[in-house]
Amino acid sequence: MEIVDKTKNKQKEQWQLGDVLKSNDGDIGMIIKDNYNNYTIIDFKGDMMGFGPFSIYELGGHDTISNLQKEYPNYHKVNAKLVIE
């Protein structure tokens, strides 16, 4: 996945289900709904670009995306595209 961060005003961004997020530390995640119908960030750790092992962590578990966004202000929406080779 290629990430391009062109966000100018990160305070006014509107998160939606399926958005790709990037933390200030460089972690990459995606907004999903979990088994309990709560919004969460699935955070990918490790080697995403190659075939190496990586771990997936779920962050959050909120009834609204705005509550999720408030809890994780260090994540920001980025433009992403999936490249299959």
Side-chain angles (χ1 to χ4, degrees), residues 7-53:
T7 308
K8 291 183 181 13
N9 188 347
K10 295 180 181 189
Q11 300 301 320
K12 294 186 178 182
E13 64 188 20
Q14 298 293 314
W15 289 7
Q16 297 178 34
L17 190 63
D19 280 346
V20 175
L21 307 172
K22 186 175 182 181
S23 75
N24 296 339
D25 297 330
D27 293 332
I28 298 169
M30 179 183 287
I31 299 173
I32 64 163
K33 277 194 163 186
D34 64 15
N35 292 339
Y36 303 103
N37 213 26
N38 291 320
Y39 294 97
T40 185
I41 299 171
I42 194 154
D43 186 3
F44 303 97
K45 307 263 186 195
D47 182 12
M48 287 183 56
M49 302 304 174
F51 294 103

Side-chain angles (χ1 to χ4, degrees), residues 42-67:
I42 194 154
D43 186 3
F44 303 97
K45 307 263 186 195
D47 182 12
M48 287 183 56
M49 302 304 174
F51 294 103
F54 65 91
S55 301
I56 298 174
Y57 298 92
E58 286 190 34
L59 306 173
H62 295 278
D63 56 344
T64 66
I65 290 179
S66 64
N67 287 341

